[in-house]
Amino acid sequence: MKKILLAGLCALMMGALPSRAQWGPRAIPEPTDGLKDAYKDYFMVGVAVNNRNVTDADQIKLIKREFNSITAENAMKPQPTEPRKGECNWEDADRIADFCRQNGIKLRGHTLMWHSQIGPWMYQDENGNLLSKEELYANMKHHIQAVVNRYKDVVYCWDVVNEAVADSPVYPGRPELRESPMYKIAGEEFIYKAFEFAHEADPKALLFYNDYNDAEPAKSQRIYNLVKRMKDAGVPVDGIGMQGHYNVYGPSMADVDAAIKLYSQVVKHIHITELDIRINEDMGGGLRFNQGQAQVSDWERTLQQDQYVNLFKVLRKHKDVIDCVTFWNVSDRDSWLGANNYPLLFDSNYKPKQSYLAVKGFDPKMDNVVVKEDFKPSELNQPGQEYPMVNSQGYARFRVNAPKANSVIVSLGLGGSGGTVLHKDADGFWTGTTAGPMDEGFHYYHLTIDGGVFNDPGTENFYGSTRWESGIEIPAHDAAFYAERDVPHGNVQQILFWSASTNQLRKAFVYTPPQYEKNKKKYPVLYLQHGWGENEFAWHVQGHANLIMDNLIADGKIQPFIIVMTYGMTNGVRIGGLGGFNYNDFQTVLCDELVPYVDGHFRTIAKKDSRAMAGLSMGGMETHTITLARPEMFAYYGLLSGGVYTPEEIQDPKQVKGIFIGCGSKEGPDRIMQAAADLQAAGFNAKGYVSEGTAHEFLTWRRCLYEMAPMLFK
Ligand code: XIL
């Protein structure tokens, strides 16, 4: 029983942590459908394959599940198909074509004319002298038509010419096109000819011009210019292939969007032909290939996921002109960039990454959501600070000054996305808005700047995750119960007590209700524990426990009581090591040192029936253990997102006068409500409570305190 409880709590506690990403990638179950299915209303999703991919049974299964278009990674290029003039080698290309024929998968042809992976015979003689234009065209026609004819039953489009536009910068007096041997012989006309030869062989095939750095503004203008001149000259060009060898730092989505808009002015078809998003800063032209085991940090995964998610959002927006998006390789193991560049949606073991789920699991409704521009500074900001901001829908917007940084990530985000990636403005400020509305209430967060962890200088700090973190408050619709009202207020004072068992001076905060100083009454006491990573500040600072009490008392909903909040000695434990946590030390401090101190220094009713213990998360685990181990100490027990009691484990039903069990609706509340029902059925005075729309966070626990207080000391 105890083991199960601990495991459950560990799972619960994971949710309390500011960034899920910091615990590494989670295992994702094998998908039952694929990217092609998720995108069926948008565009085909393709993949570039090698020989292994189409012969290994597991890889075949994955390809058939995920993709509905295929490109041969190398097998149909000029050199592999015809290394020497007239010596053709079709084996690999045929295998891939047959795979597509047999499985009814569409095949993109790649590529007929390229300066790389081409037999020199195409453009030079045995002595290395460039051929004449006529000889070049004869060779091109012979080669292009042999390939196109051979596969015209199965190939539906061709990347006819690849990478013929010059990279930036183009210096004055230099051509806009790459000075390849073909260009040197024939100028731009060789490109036109290649398209004409291909069209002659297969008039049905869609013909593409394909290139990289396709979203870089200057180069995309040159690509546009080339295709426009071709169109004007009547060349049969149908589409532009944007290779899409991107990285986690760029291109910006504004540039991708602008390039697609530009290209769609001149062609009706745009394909993303070779998509991968590597985690280093290289761009096309000078890539670092990085084989070996992937050594990827969580923040890099977050950047990659963000880039993939935002890219697909832009691609979906342009579904009218984009008809196919092809990944360049199946998995990181196959990637031409090497596994260390971590570029694809499937890892080196062919397992889907979190980014895969994020790309696949888009919500079409969110694509069209309009974020209201009524952002206001968060109420937890430092004096005079504008950011972070929150809008009326619960979106949070951040702005950080880090002019020399390469990446800034806010650890707050949605679901498993691991945060919000900020983007740099022209003025050096990094800004970004959460991808959707946040849950109401308080959230801890921090910034990750180029891999280092920092607080946001805009906000106050709150102790959580074993450090003072930044905090933001998304105003809750029911915030009135902890609002600052003009009612009598109690005090929160710090006390210091000597602990002989730990040989230390220890600290606690004590809430005494309004009028405590003015009367002689004695009060019951609630010992209230924080969660893992937090400390004795949590309940009155993040939790507003004192304000909740003041309001309950002012509204006549409870009889006043004292609350004592001390550090639960929780933070030496690492997550995952909770099972080995020793409760005895804290039990001694609490029961044998703090309780006597409080009874000796405050006007308490120093009896078990007037003493309660409750805690959130790991504080709930402590409460569970200590209340059962020391039945003579407390008469009321409360577990807030901190597990359950069962009737069997409470030895004497008369030892407890009330049990409260609560959690957030996003924490799997069924178990909580079932446990409360079981306790009630066994005759206990038990209350179960679920906080609507909240997770393992402080709004859940504020509400739990508000719901629990009226049942104490009755
Ligand atoms: C790459 C292949 O993936 C590698 O295996 C090969 O060694 C070199 O070519 N742009 C293109 C692709 O159009 O054909 C290239 O493919 C990657 C860059």
Side-chain angles (χ1 to χ4, degrees):
M1 175 59 219
K2 200 157 190 184
K3 271 227 174 84
I4 298 170
L5 177 80
L6 286 173
L9 275 168
C10 293
L12 280 174
M13 291 187 52
M14 296 296 280
L17 301 167
S19 164
R20 283 156 195 273
Q22 65 187 266
W23 308 106
R26 274 180 292 181
I28 293 166
E30 193 176 319
T32 52
D33 64 357
L35 292 161
K36 65 172 175 16
D37 306 303
Y39 282 88
K40 67 179 189 322
D41 296 333
Y42 296 85
F43 35 71
M44 287 183 276
V45 184
V47 67
V49 296
N50 59 33
N51 265 321
R52 275 188 326 280
N53 299 145
V54 293
T55 46
D56 174 283
D58 288 341
Q59 295 178 30
I60 290 175
K61 191 173 155 208
L62 187 153
I63 291 170
K64 284 163 64 175
R65 184 186 69 219
E66 298 291 338
F67 304 105
N68 49 10
S69 172
I70 274 183
T71 307
E73 181 186 8
N74 288 302
M76 294 186 173
K77 290 172 179 173
Q79 200 275 344
T81 48
E82 196 172 2
R84 278 163 296 278
K85 187 168 184 171
E87 265 181 48
C88 289
N89 178 1
W90 303 115
E91 204 186 321
D92 290 348
D94 281 357
R95 188 177 300 113
I96 291 170
D98 284 342
F99 178 81
C100 291
R101 290 185 183 108
Q102 282 154 17
N103 294 295
I105 302 181
K106 292 201 151 204
L107 183 55
R108 291 194 88 253
H110 175 85
T111 176
L112 298 171
M113 207 37 57
W114 186 23
H115 64 277
S116 182
Q117 288 183 285
I118 185 167
W121 63 267
M122 189 81 74
Y123 53 80
Q124 68 184 30
D125 65 19
E126 277 119 54
N127 303 320
N129 299 316
L130 291 181
L131 302 178
S132 70
K133 199 196 254 194
E134 291 67 33
E135 289 167 316
L136 169 69
Y137 288 165
N139 284 350
M140 281 172 50
K141 178 167 181 169
H142 145 81
H143 175 79
I144 289 174
Q145 299 201 334
V147 185
V148 173
N149 276 320
R150 190 172 181 91
Y151 299 111
K152 66 177 168 189
D153 66 308
V154 59
V155 168
Y156 73 101
C157 69
W158 275 101
D159 292 331
V160 178
V161 175
N162 199 26
E163 303 181 355
V165 169
D167 281 329
S168 300
V170 174
Y171 294 106
R174 307 309 303 176
E176 288 209 339
L177 299 184
R178 179 187 297 276
E179 295 176 78
S180 68
M182 286 80 76
Y183 180 84
K184 285 183 181 142
I185 296 169
E188 179 162 320
E189 191 191 57
F190 94 89
I191 301 172
Y192 299 18
K193 286 289 176 196
F195 277 80
E196 282 160 17
F197 298 148
H199 185 67
E200 215 173 270
D202 184 2
K204 294 186 314 301
L206 290 176
L207 304 184
F208 282 74
Y209 173 74
N210 192 47
D211 215 327
Y212 63 87
N213 285 0
D214 45 72
E216 190 253 302
K219 186 164 175 184
S220 56
Q221 188 61 51
R222 288 193 289 281
I223 294 173
Y224 168 88
N225 294 346
L226 168 67
V227 176
K228 178 79 170 67
R229 290 193 296 272
M230 290 165 73
K231 280 278 186 196
D232 291 346
V235 176
V237 52
D238 301 294
I240 293 177
M242 301 171 68
Q243 290 190 5
H245 293 294
Y246 298 147
N247 71 42
V248 299
Y249 302 98
S252 73
M253 288 308 124
D255 282 352
V256 174
D257 188 62
I260 295 172
K261 283 189 184 133
L262 181 65
Y263 297 150
S264 63
Q265 288 172 25
V266 70
V267 290
K268 291 203 175 66
H269 303 274
I270 296 176
H271 287 190
I272 308 300
T273 52
E274 307 181 18
L275 181 59
D276 47 28
I277 298 182
R278 58 190 167 275
I279 57 164
N280 68 46
E281 289 176 62
D282 307 343
M283 268 301 174
L287 300 180
R288 265 182 291 149
F289 298 90
N290 204 343
Q291 308 293 343
Q293 274 298 304
Q295 303 272 321
V296 186
S297 306
D298 292 327
W299 62 274
E300 292 173 307
R301 280 194 193 91
T302 301
L303 292 181
Q304 185 185 52
Q305 178 171 325
D306 181 70
Q307 187 77 330
Y308 264 123
V309 164
N310 292 334
L311 175 64
F312 273 84
K313 189 170 176 186
V314 172
L315 300 180
R316 288 195 297 275
K317 177 175 139 193
H318 292 291
K319 67 173 182 172
D320 289 350
V321 65
I322 292 177
D323 25 57
C324 186
V325 177
T326 296
F327 287 87
W328 203 247
N329 303 114
V330 178
S331 78
D332 287 348
R333 177 171 301 184
D334 308 299
S335 170
W336 70 305
L337 300 166
N340 255 341
N341 276 307
Y342 201 69
L344 295 161
L345 296 184
F346 291 90
D347 68 16
S348 294
N349 298 315
Y350 295 88
K351 299 283 179 249
K353 300 178 184 173
Q354 195 66 41
S355 319
Y356 166 89
L357 292 185
V359 165
K360 203 174 154 189
F362 67 95
D363 177 355
K365 286 195 296 293
M366 294 298 283
D367 282 353
N368 302 317
V369 155
V370 179
V371 179
K372 285 196 189 142
E373 287 303 323
D374 57 357
F375 286 87
K376 292 196 187 82
S378 158
E379 64 194 66
L380 304 182
N381 286 2
Q382 300 210 24
Q385 293 296 318
E386 251 194 309
Y387 287 85
M389 291 199 177
V390 182
N391 83 350
S392 59
Q393 297 157 299
Y395 284 79
R397 180 169 287 170
F398 304 89
R399 188 161 195 259
V400 175
N401 184 18
K404 292 284 167 90
N406 288 320
S407 68
V408 180
I409 304 170
V410 177
S411 63
L412 274 185
L414 285 184
S417 74
T420 301
V421 174
L422 306 189
H423 296 277
K424 198 172 173 177
D425 292 346
D427 57 5
F429 280 84
W430 294 76
T431 54
T433 306
T434 51
M438 306 286 301
D439 286 352
E440 293 182 354
F442 174 84
H443 307 281
Y444 297 106
Y445 75 97
H446 56 254
L447 309 175
T448 301
I449 303 185
D450 294 350
V453 172
F454 304 90
N455 281 2
D456 184 340
T459 72
E460 292 178 10
N461 295 165
F462 303 85
Y463 201 82
S465 291
T466 72
R467 58 186 295 279
W468 292 92
E469 290 250 291
S470 301
I472 191 170
E473 183 81 31
I474 310 294
H477 68 280
D478 59 344
F481 76 90
Y482 53 86
E484 294 175 2
R485 288 165 49 192
D486 185 10
V487 296
H489 286 281
N491 290 324
V492 176
Q493 63 184 286
Q494 179 184 292
I495 60 166
L496 297 173
F497 63 102
W498 183 257
S499 154
S501 69
T502 57
N503 197 30
Q504 267 174 351
L505 190 64
R506 305 193 73 90
K507 190 162 46 173
F509 287 102
V510 178
Y511 165 80
T512 48
Q515 316 303 334
Y516 177 86
E517 287 78 10
K518 293 204 178 134
N519 62 36
K520 294 261 162 0
K521 273 195 351 212
K522 293 187 167 187
Y523 293 87
V525 187
L526 164 64
Y527 289 82
L528 188 55
Q529 291 309 125
H530 57 81
W532 177 85
E534 296 171 337
N535 66 10
E536 65 278 7
F537 285 86
W539 262 113
H540 63 286
V541 178
Q542 291 92 299
H544 300 318
N546 53 324
L547 294 175
I548 294 170
M549 291 295 290
D550 294 342
N551 289 338
L552 279 167
I553 293 166
D555 294 343
K557 290 186 174 148
I558 60 168
Q559 288 304 314
F561 56 84
I562 291 170
I563 300 181
V564 177
M565 301 160 280
T566 194
Y567 172 52
M569 299 162 70
T570 48
N571 296 345
V573 193
R574 301 315 305 166
I575 283 291
L578 288 176
F581 183 66
N582 167 16
Y583 295 91
N584 293 337
D585 294 348
F586 180 59
Q587 185 176 305
T588 303
V589 169
L590 178 72
C591 299
D592 302 326
E593 295 170 346
L594 180 58
V595 170
Y597 183 92
V598 169
D599 285 340
H601 291 78
F602 291 84
R603 293 196 316 279
T604 65
I605 307 171
K607 290 197 313 236
K608 169 182 167 169
D609 279 0
S610 296
R611 220 178 272 131
M613 181 176 184
L616 71 89
S617 193
M618 193 168 173
M621 293 167 67
E622 293 182 319
T623 300
H624 179 266
T625 305
I626 294 171
T627 50
L628 295 182
R630 298 291 294 267
E632 81 286 4
M633 292 294 299
F634 304 98
Y636 297 87
Y637 310 165
L639 306 183
L640 324 186
S641 309
V644 298
Y645 289 98
T646 63
E648 302 80 56
E649 65 191 349
I650 300 170
Q651 287 178 351
D652 174 6
K654 285 199 248 19
Q655 81 184 48
V656 52
K657 298 190 77 176
I659 300 177
F660 176 90
I661 314 178
C663 74
S665 66
K666 299 188 177 184
E667 296 187 90
D670 294 354
R671 196 165 144 259
I672 298 290
M673 294 313 279
Q674 185 58 51
D678 291 348
L679 288 165
Q680 284 158 5
F684 289 92
N685 171 29
K687 175 171 175 176
Y689 168 72
V690 177
S691 158
E692 263 325 304
T694 61
H696 202 68
E697 293 190 280
F698 245 106
L699 185 56
T700 298
W701 305 318
R702 291 173 187 163
R703 288 177 180 164
C704 280
L705 175 60
Y706 180 77
E707 296 290 329
M708 174 176 72
M711 81 177 289
L712 302 180
F713 314 119
K714 277 279 162 65

